Amino acid sequence: MQELMAYLQDPELVARFQRRCGLYRVEGSNPGPGRSRPANGAPITREKPRGQLEGSWDRQDSNSNYQYQDCKKPQYEVRNWLLHFLFLFSAGLGHEVFYITCLPCIHWNLDPFLCRRLVNMWTLVMYVGQVMKDLLKLPRPPSPPVVKLETRVDAEYGLPSTHAMAATAISFTLLLSAPSRVQFCFQTGLLIAATLSSLVSLSRLYTGMHSVLDVACGILITAVLILLTYPFWESFDSFQLTSPLSPIIALSLLLFLSYTYPELDHYTTTRGDTTTILGVCAGCSVGYWANVQLGDTFEPRGPLPVPLPTVTALSVARGAGRSLVGVVALVGTRQIVRKLSLDALYSWYNVPKTDKNARRRKEIEVPSKFVTYTAVGLVNSILVNRVFALIGLL
């Protein structure tokens, strides 16, 4: 078993997959800033240097990806632009920003019930995945031999792949929840779910950010979480929507999990990203509970499952209008609450507003992100649909 796991974590497997997909590492002299073209005319894109990793199975106290060494900058050559853009697009489907904009669109245009289920499972698998990363402390594949196309998360640890976890959780939670709400062909839904989750998972290999082991473990962990929690989905729905303790537990538990997130000896984006997700879940949970108390959940009326909405020019225009108004409301809420919360925290801790690095401090990052995204979740679940009704978009 140890040999199999070491084999699946071998960075050469990732490099080989990249080459099969037309992404080649190119060693050469520094061509100057920006892009240049080799003799064959294919563009070469420069990548920031990354340190060589050591001891993939050592329980490290620091991520060797975080320590960048002075070395010749690696370059890469793309020989299959179709796969290149497909995998870059697929990688984008696994980012938190995508889910924070995609999931509300399901709420506004299809069924708030489905959005609630997806937010709950997304939060669970992302929290488990992020915590496992920072407890196991297994590094990402080294460059060389792989080509790394992303830099923001390179200081994070690798196992499991939370992109693979989120994509699998969203796809299959929707597949399992939708039949009781919407009429559709299950086989078609299964094909779409498998395709989307596979593309996102493979994109983590193509971008050089995860090993095969990271991706496989991410998918397996998510499958186990879905199997373990599926029998309790209905009971949790009932508690979340009707219990007077629901909003109290949602806010206190998720804030507690944000503050008790595992500490590292260097800064990474995992704590902030996890707090963002927990904040969204807290706000949405309180909002869905409040909607029940207010007497309007904006869920489909009539016998379930309902037919899929008919696609007409008018329905597309109304859907686009709802999405546009909703995204503007969420982005505006995020900008306003983030600024107010940061200003208040900077003043409380007597930190100059010009000190951008202060945002990485736990006492500032956690409450600022939690409050900001709790507000975003509340606006999404309570306010936006009521605005739609007011301006005639429902």
Side-chain angles (χ1 to χ4, degrees):
M1 180 61 71
Q2 185 79 4
E3 290 181 1
L4 174 61
M5 296 179 74
Y7 172 74
L8 293 177
Q9 204 188 23
D10 185 357
E12 188 55 40
L13 278 180
V14 179
R16 214 177 304 157
F17 176 79
Q18 290 179 318
R19 291 192 293 269
R20 289 284 180 90
C21 295
L23 184 64
Y24 286 82
R25 192 181 159 78
V26 177
E27 298 292 349
S29 59
N30 191 338
R35 293 173 179 249
S36 65
R37 292 186 178 272
N40 64 2
I44 293 178
T45 307
R46 291 173 48 195
E47 178 192 335
K48 293 185 179 180
R50 299 293 171 204
Q52 179 68 34
L53 296 177
E54 300 176 1
S56 60
W57 287 103
D58 294 339
R59 296 180 66 86
Q60 305 174 53
D61 291 328
S62 62
N63 188 353
S64 49
N65 271 341
Y66 181 66
Q67 301 298 330
Y68 306 151
Q69 301 174 2
D70 292 330
C71 59
K72 185 186 298 182
K73 293 187 177 182
Q75 302 165 334
Y76 63 87
E77 175 186 351
V78 177
R79 298 183 186 176
N80 189 326
W81 284 101
L82 178 61
L83 287 179
H84 183 72
F85 287 120
L86 174 64
F87 283 128
L88 290 186
F89 175 75
S90 301
L93 298 180
H95 288 303
E96 286 84 1
V97 173
F98 171 77
Y99 291 119
I100 290 171
T101 53
C102 174
L103 297 183
C105 286
I106 294 176
H107 175 112
W108 305 327
N109 296 306
L110 189 58
D111 188 350
F113 167 89
L114 295 177
C115 181
R116 183 173 71 250
R117 279 276 178 90
L118 294 176
V119 168
N120 290 339
M121 281 305 299
W122 175 58
T123 302
L124 173 63
V125 300
M126 288 298 291
Y127 181 78
V128 170
Q130 297 282 61
V131 168
M132 286 186 67
K133 278 185 181 181
D134 289 342
L135 291 180
L136 295 175
K137 298 183 178 179
L138 297 177
R140 295 179 183 270
S143 176
V146 306
V147 176
K148 292 193 176 181
L149 301 182
E150 296 180 5
T151 57
R152 175 181 177 268
V153 297
D154 202 19
E156 296 180 9
Y157 294 104
L159 188 148
S161 167
T162 48
H163 273 69
M165 293 183 73
T168 304
I170 293 294
S171 299
F172 286 92
T173 298
L174 184 60
L175 179 69
L176 293 172
S177 301
S180 64
R181 309 290 296 185
V182 181
Q183 298 173 16
F184 72 102
C185 176
F186 186 84
Q187 289 78 5
T188 302
L190 177 60
L191 179 62
I192 294 173
T195 300
L196 288 178
S197 57
S198 296
L199 281 174
V200 173
S201 298
L202 290 174
S203 75
R204 306 319 291 158
L205 303 180
Y206 183 83
T207 55
M209 302 312 297
H210 284 286
S211 68
V212 175
L213 182 65
D214 298 343
V215 173
C217 286
I219 295 171
L220 180 61
I221 292 166
T222 301
V224 170
L225 288 173
I226 290 176
L227 288 173
L228 290 177
T229 59
Y230 179 74
F232 306 102
W233 284 2
E234 293 293 341
S235 299
F236 184 78
D237 277 340
S238 176
F239 175 83
Q240 187 176 29
L241 295 180
T242 61
S243 173
L245 297 177
S246 174
I248 300 172
I249 292 176
L251 290 171
S252 59
L253 175 61
L254 297 179
L255 181 59
F256 172 78
L257 293 177
S258 298
Y259 270 104
T260 57
Y261 188 83
E263 297 282 350
L264 296 176
D265 61 356
H266 67 276
Y267 179 80
T268 75
T269 57
T270 50
R271 183 181 64 202
D273 289 344
T274 305
T275 303
T276 293
I277 295 167
L278 294 173
V280 168
C281 185
C284 286
S285 183
V286 173
Y288 288 125
W289 176 86
N291 283 338
V292 172
Q293 314 313 309
L294 295 172
D296 196 350
T297 62
F298 298 96
E299 295 181 4
R301 293 178 173 83
L304 297 172
V306 299
L308 280 171
T310 304
V311 178
T312 64
L314 178 60
S315 67
V316 170
R318 290 169 71 91
R322 286 193 292 267
S323 297
L324 178 61
V325 172
V327 168
V328 168
L330 298 191
V331 171
T333 301
R334 173 183 177 271
Q335 295 301 107
I336 293 170
V337 178
R338 182 175 66 173
K339 185 180 187 310
L340 292 176
S341 62
L342 283 174
D343 287 348
L345 289 165
Y346 273 42
S347 175
W348 179 267
Y349 290 105
N350 197 26
V351 176
K353 292 183 179 180
T354 55
D355 185 1
K356 300 300 182 183
N357 287 329
R359 296 184 184 185
R360 296 181 171 187
R361 290 166 49 177
K362 179 178 179 179
E363 64 270 23
I364 292 178
E365 181 181 54
V366 170
S368 172
K369 284 186 177 290
F370 191 85
V371 168
T372 297
Y373 286 95
T374 297
V376 169
L378 286 169
V379 169
N380 165 64
S381 53
I382 297 178
L383 184 62
V384 174
N385 271 20
R386 288 174 168 79
V387 172
F388 294 159
L390 186 64
I391 62 180
L393 284 177
L394 277 183

